[in-house]
Amino acid sequence: MVEENVPALRIQGVTKEFGNGVKSRVLHGIDMEVRHGEVCALMGPSGSGKSTLLNIAGLLDRPTAGHVWIDGTDTGTLDEAGLTVFRGRKLGFIFQFHHLLPEFTALENVTLPSYGQEGFPSADMHARAEALLREVGLGERLGYRPSALSGGQAQRVAVARALVHRPTLVLADEPTGNLDTESSKEVLALMRKFNRELGTAFLIVTHDPRIGAECDRLLEIVDGKMHTPDAPPITG
């Protein structure tokens, strides 16, 4: 049950520096939220810090300073083992390139998150994976390997994989960037479908203003800082 007023993702005062000795600061005191059931687009010019911010939101990297809450949990209090388990339960990921394992079938790829949690796919997970693949229109391709799927079909498998463990938040990094226009529309429509039906929150990094226009809210980042309405418009 979702606690009232607790966002799916809350980031407060997050900075990120790289390098030893001379530090390079990429993020400068980022504050942002993604609410439960919301689809947000994160946009900004190349080099603005989008990928770094997404990695921190996805608990793939830790901030130099600041806090990241997922579903009310301060993830900074978790050790590496706890962070791995928590990430597997609460987050789903969709990338520009689907990153399906080529030797696995579509069905096996979708059940992969359960291997990390339990060491094997439970009967419930297997049934859920099959049901999701049928929902994304791939019921006839459960046993197909990625090489036998089109780019759009493979990305639909990736969407099913991200959702199979019913995450609180899905982080999508340019999920349509490698697809043609029609396949892009189909993948976005699927994310919207599951957002409405399951209440899953989505944070989508995209360069495509058409994708941004379909989201509930637009977050903009420039030079490692969140863009505000009073700031100069983003270009590039």
Side-chain angles (χ1 to χ4, degrees):
M1 181 150 179
V2 176
E3 187 177 340
E4 189 176 359
N5 298 324
V6 174
L9 169 68
R10 182 184 175 203
I11 289 176
Q12 185 176 52
V14 161
T15 65
K16 183 63 180 178
E17 295 177 345
F18 293 99
N20 297 315
V22 177
K23 303 286 187 180
S24 173
R25 180 167 289 190
V26 177
L27 299 178
H28 304 263
I30 296 291
D31 295 323
M32 60 172 280
E33 288 186 355
V34 178
R35 296 182 285 272
H36 285 280
E38 186 175 41
V39 178
C40 291
L42 178 63
M43 302 184 73
S46 297
S48 59
K50 297 188 301 297
S51 293
T52 300
L53 181 55
L54 198 70
N55 284 340
I56 289 173
L59 311 181
L60 300 172
D61 196 6
R62 290 190 185 266
T64 304
H67 298 274
V68 178
W69 286 269
I70 302 289
D71 208 12
T73 295
D74 184 351
T75 60
T77 64
L78 303 174
D79 62 17
E80 291 304 315
L83 202 66
T84 298
V85 172
F86 185 82
R87 182 173 55 238
R89 289 176 177 165
K90 291 289 185 178
L91 300 175
F93 297 89
I94 305 170
F95 304 98
Q96 178 175 355
F97 300 98
H98 50 72
H99 295 302
L100 302 180
L101 293 183
E103 65 273 20
F104 281 21
T105 66
L107 183 59
E108 290 167 339
N109 267 284
V110 175
T111 62
L112 277 176
S114 62
Y115 283 90
Q117 293 183 39
E118 303 173 33
F120 62 93
S122 64
D124 178 62
M125 178 69 77
H126 191 279
R128 228 184 299 163
E130 182 172 340
L132 275 169
L133 283 169
R134 293 191 186 282
E135 282 199 61
V136 301
L138 295 175
E140 303 302 316
R141 290 174 169 77
L142 301 178
Y144 283 41
R145 289 186 169 83
S147 60
L149 301 173
S150 68
Q153 289 171 342
Q155 196 65 315
R156 281 187 265 160
V157 174
V159 170
R161 180 181 60 189
L163 291 163
V164 72
H165 58 293
R166 298 172 181 159
T168 297
L169 173 68
V170 171
L171 300 160
D173 190 2
E174 298 284 359
T176 63
N178 198 42
L179 302 177
D180 59 42
T181 301
E182 191 58 34
S183 294
S184 295
K185 289 179 180 178
E186 291 175 358
V187 168
L188 182 61
L190 283 172
M191 290 191 288
R192 265 307 200 179
K193 167 185 168 66
F194 292 118
N195 161 253
R196 289 191 300 268
E197 294 180 357
L198 304 177
T200 306
F202 284 80
L203 178 61
I204 304 173
V205 168
T206 181
H207 283 94
D208 189 342
R210 294 170 298 181
I211 302 297
E214 294 293 329
C215 295
D216 298 321
R217 192 158 53 94
L218 175 63
L219 303 169
E220 297 177 303
I221 184 170
V222 181
D223 296 330
K225 300 176 182 178
M226 295 307 293
H227 178 65
T228 63
D230 295 330
I234 291 176
T235 58

